[in-house]
Amino acid sequence: MRNGPPDKKRKIKTVHEEKIDFNPAAREEWLTGFHKRKLERRKHAENENAKKEKEEKLRFRKELREQRKVDLEKHVSETNRLMRLANGDIPSEPESEDDGEEDPETFTGFDDPINQEDEYVDEDKYTTVTVETVGINRTGFSRPGEEAEELRKEREAREEAEKEAKKKRVWTKEKPKSDRPKKKKVKFRYETKAERKVERMKQGMKKKKLAEKRAKAKEE
């Protein structure tokens, strides 16, 4: 008889064998799906390229809008500065960087046209300054009379085009362009069965008479 604690029961390790199942459907799909997978990869790449192109267009449009906004602000600022300079509100020297204040008053134009020429003589320099009346439009500055001249030319060109259009002969039902009489259309009609039969009989009689004439001519 054995004295002491009982022996611990050893756990029996169960080994699970790995099992591989053969799936013929999956194998067939893999072997026959190369073209399908290639098309899927191509479609995915096209979608990615389209997405990147769209983002690039949006970014370019945003930058273009910002650049146009900056250019417009510069143009307006320069126009206001030139107008104040012409009005005598600021000196002719370029503005300093520290002086960025603008005149709150709005320029409404000159009361009288300014068309004068002044001469300034210094010790070593001789300068002639000509001040003229100018107008402001979308394209920039223009001299007085230029806009009126352009409008006059446009009006003359439009009137000339209208005259040319009136000279052209317009076709109407009462006054057609061509004076030649129209040819009458020949009406086409299918013959009936009876008419075709009569026509065949006439042709047969004509052929018979011609054959008789040829036979008489041979006998003579």
Side-chain angles (χ1 to χ4, degrees), residues 57-91:
K57 285 183 179 180
L58 293 175
R59 185 184 63 80
F60 176 74
R61 289 178 181 176
K62 184 178 179 181
E63 292 179 356
L64 185 62
R65 286 195 299 268
E66 292 177 355
Q67 184 64 31
R68 286 179 178 175
K69 185 178 179 181
V70 172
D71 294 342
L72 180 61
E73 290 176 354
K74 288 182 179 179
H75 179 70
V76 172
S77 177
E78 184 67 17
T79 303
N80 293 334
R81 189 185 69 81
L82 292 174
M83 292 171 64
R84 292 198 306 273
L85 178 63
N87 198 22
D89 294 341
I90 58 175

Side-chain angles (χ1 to χ4, degrees), residues 168-217:
K168 293 181 180 179
R169 188 173 180 182
V170 182
W171 185 91
T172 58
K173 191 173 182 180
E174 292 77 11
K175 296 180 180 180
K177 289 184 178 180
S178 178
D179 297 332
R180 292 178 297 178
K182 291 184 179 180
K183 294 182 180 180
K184 293 183 179 180
K185 293 182 180 180
V186 179
K187 293 183 179 180
F188 179 78
R189 185 177 64 84
Y190 287 100
E191 294 180 347
T192 61
K193 189 174 181 181
E195 290 175 347
R196 289 197 298 272
K197 186 176 181 181
V198 172
E199 187 66 24
R200 284 197 298 270
M201 290 175 65
K202 289 181 179 179
Q203 294 292 336
M205 292 175 67
K206 287 182 181 180
K207 290 180 180 179
K208 187 176 180 181
K209 289 180 180 180
L210 290 174
E212 291 177 354
K213 286 182 180 180
R214 285 196 296 269
K216 289 181 180 179

Side-chain angles (χ1 to χ4, degrees), residues 43 54 95 158 160 174 200:
K43 186 176 181 181
K54 185 177 180 180
E95 296 179 352
R158 188 166 56 251
E160 189 69 22
E174 292 77 11
R200 284 197 298 270

Side-chain angles (χ1 to χ4, degrees), residues 70-125:
V70 172
D71 294 342
L72 180 61
E73 290 176 354
K74 288 182 179 179
H75 179 70
V76 172
S77 177
E78 184 67 17
T79 303
N80 293 334
R81 189 185 69 81
L82 292 174
M83 292 171 64
R84 292 198 306 273
L85 178 63
N87 198 22
D89 294 341
I90 58 175
S92 58
E93 289 80 5
E95 296 179 352
S96 60
E97 295 180 358
D98 298 336
D99 188 12
E101 297 181 357
E102 296 182 357
D103 189 3
E105 296 182 359
T106 304
F107 178 74
T108 58
F110 300 105
D111 296 334
D112 298 326
I114 300 176
N115 291 305
Q116 60 183 3
E117 184 173 328
D118 297 331
E119 296 179 357
Y120 299 91
V121 181
D122 200 355
E123 294 179 356
D124 300 328
K125 297 180 181 179

